[in-house]
Amino acid sequence: MQTKSVLIQSLCVPCCNKCRYCLLSWSGRTLGADWERSVKTAERIINELRETRPQLDSAFSFGYSMEHRNLREAIRTLRRLGSPTAEFMQCDGMKMRDDMQCGELMAILCDEGVKSLNFTLYGLRDYHDRFAGRKGDYDLLFRMMRAAREAEIPFTTAVPLISENIDEIDELAAVLKEAGSGKVFLFIPHGEGRGEALESIRLRRRDLERLSPDSVKLLNRELYKTEAEWLSEKPEEEKYRQILISLTKENIEDYEKRPAEEILRGIERLDDEYYTAFPDFGELGEEYGDKSGDKLYRRRDLYHRYRKLYSEEHKVKVCDVTDERYSGSRRY
């Protein structure tokens, strides 16, 4: 397995939403280490890796949202440390702002060289606010979109598809286009973090018939297929991995002392141990798959589901490197 990149993160900034499918299972308490310590440690690790593994791409990011107390400083830090989010900003979970404050936010983003934005909508106003866990979030997103358009910052929008919101999608897509959105992406929610709770309302192939032909085209059917479709194909072998170094309150002191190469090798070992503990996708599919299953997944989400079933049955005791709150990996 070839390590291709390293992402260092600190989940030290709160999110103002509590979305039902949060990958990071936001609970109202930040897990990340102190900002200043995180930046210093990340920069040292990145500089060391440029010496020991110059072939790797490396970057720094923060979460749970982009609502940093000093956004200018944060964007400049991201740019210095090679993060693509210095130019492409995800605008979900931001604090409430009126029209003037949204304009002030966009002025900062323009000044700091942010080139594009993305917003996530879960449905029309009432459904979106319930799903995001905050009343008024839908209107906030559209205030930010108007401000972005006035500031001439292009933006795209992403909309998860589930059985609960499918009948709102055609109208929502039209509203987003009218608001000035560039590409509107439809996607199937992941099954990790709190996304596991959405399994009962996961979209089925027949649900797509409730969408207009134009809306159906917004879903990448090469990326999202039914379980039956995935099981009928020869699975592609995963050849690469991204290593995630998550700086937390618990590990920051240790990571401050350890050489970058030692940290990286330790997480690579955890990755190897995790995937060695499970059969491959094809074997798991034979044991746990439904060859007539019509629910839509990304392959990695279906693989994750099968591994969870196997782990429960066989009582697998291994560090879950797919939990993106903590240091781990992502194979592809």
Side-chain angles (χ1 to χ4, degrees):
M1 182 58 56
Q2 182 181 354
T3 300
K4 293 284 285 186
S5 62
V6 176
L7 176 64
I8 307 166
Q9 74 173 13
S10 180
L11 301 177
C12 60
V13 177
C15 181
C16 296
N17 289 353
K18 194 173 182 181
C19 300
R20 285 171 62 187
Y21 79 130
C22 181
L23 176 66
L24 302 172
S25 300
W26 168 241
S27 64
R29 184 178 73 88
T30 57
L31 294 177
D34 170 78
W35 169 256
E36 284 76 17
R37 292 179 74 179
S38 295
V39 171
K40 184 178 179 180
T41 302
E43 189 160 22
R44 191 263 302 172
I45 291 173
I46 288 172
N47 288 337
E48 288 185 17
L49 290 177
R50 286 172 180 164
E51 294 294 325
T52 62
R53 299 207 198 183
Q55 75 278 14
L56 297 184
D57 293 327
S58 57
F60 173 69
S61 69
F62 67 88
Y64 293 83
S65 78
M66 296 295 290
E67 193 60 77
H68 193 280
R69 63 181 183 274
N70 188 337
L71 190 55
R72 286 186 186 275
E73 174 198 341
I75 294 172
R76 291 170 186 175
T77 298
L78 292 172
R79 181 176 297 109
R80 188 174 79 251
L81 299 185
S83 174
T85 53
E87 295 185 351
F88 171 76
M89 183 170 165
Q90 189 70 43
C91 294
D92 304 319
M94 305 289 281
K95 71 180 183 182
M96 284 294 171
R97 289 176 168 85
D98 59 24
D99 287 333
M100 180 178 294
Q101 291 167 327
C102 286
E104 292 169 350
L105 172 63
M106 296 304 157
I108 291 173
L109 302 185
C110 280
D111 287 347
E112 298 304 327
V114 174
K115 296 180 180 179
S116 62
L117 310 174
N118 181 261
F119 301 89
T120 304
L121 279 294
Y122 304 120
L124 298 173
R125 180 181 287 105
D126 290 344
Y127 186 82
H128 172 90
D129 285 357
R130 289 196 303 274
F131 196 100
R134 179 169 61 153
K135 188 172 179 59
D137 190 68
Y138 180 91
D139 290 335
L140 169 64
L141 294 182
F142 279 90
R143 284 196 295 274
M144 287 198 286
M145 288 181 205
R146 287 195 297 272
R149 189 166 54 182
E150 291 170 2
E152 298 184 340
I153 303 177
F155 61 89
T156 57
T157 48
V159 182
L161 288 180
I162 47 181
S163 62
E164 285 185 350
N165 72 355
I166 191 73
D167 293 324
E168 298 189 1
I169 299 303
D170 287 344
E171 182 178 352
L172 179 60
V175 169
L176 291 172
K177 285 295 184 182
E178 185 177 349
S181 178
K183 179 73 174 177
V184 177
F185 299 92
L186 300 184
F187 67 96
I188 305 299
H190 57 75
E192 300 174 41
R194 280 207 297 269
E196 183 180 355
L198 301 185
E199 190 61 31
S200 65
I201 54 173
R202 180 173 289 277
L203 202 74
R204 296 179 181 274
R205 183 171 186 169
R206 62 176 179 267
D207 293 326
L208 294 175
E209 298 173 3
R210 293 151 65 184
L211 292 178
S212 70
D214 287 341
S215 292
V216 169
K217 293 176 184 177
L218 303 178
L219 179 69
N220 183 347
R221 287 288 275 115
E222 291 300 311
L223 183 61
Y224 302 107
K225 301 181 183 182
T226 66
E227 183 173 13
E229 289 170 333
W230 285 122
L231 292 175
S232 69
E233 297 180 1
K234 182 179 180 181
E236 293 185 10
E237 181 182 355
E238 294 174 323
K239 299 178 180 178
Y240 308 111
R241 64 187 170 194
Q242 179 188 65
I243 294 298
L244 172 64
I245 301 175
S246 187
L247 306 177
T248 69
K249 296 179 177 73
E250 289 73 26
N251 69 21
I252 186 66
E253 185 173 356
D254 179 45
Y255 280 3
E256 284 172 331
K257 298 174 183 176
R258 292 169 59 192
E261 184 66 24
E262 183 180 320
I263 295 171
L264 181 55
R265 287 188 183 279
I267 301 173
E268 288 175 330
R269 283 194 296 272
L270 291 178
D271 171 89
D272 292 336
E273 290 168 2
Y274 177 80
Y275 284 96
T276 300
F278 296 95
D280 63 23
F281 180 84
E283 292 179 65
L284 289 173
E286 285 294 325
E287 186 169 356
Y288 299 104
D290 178 359
K291 293 184 179 180
S292 61
D294 67 341
K295 288 184 176 181
L296 289 156
Y297 296 86
R298 280 180 307 181
R299 181 181 178 276
R300 88 176 201 191
D301 285 315
L302 190 56
Y303 196 4
H304 178 80
R305 180 169 176 268
Y306 292 160
R307 288 198 305 268
K308 186 174 186 299
L309 292 170
Y310 181 92
S311 180
E312 291 172 351
E313 180 178 352
H314 296 275
K315 305 296 187 291
V316 176
K317 302 295 183 183
V318 66
C319 177
D320 184 3
V321 295
T322 70
D323 187 338
E324 295 196 13
R325 294 173 296 174
Y326 304 104
S327 295
S329 62
R330 176 69 69 188
R331 289 193 173 189
Y332 58 98

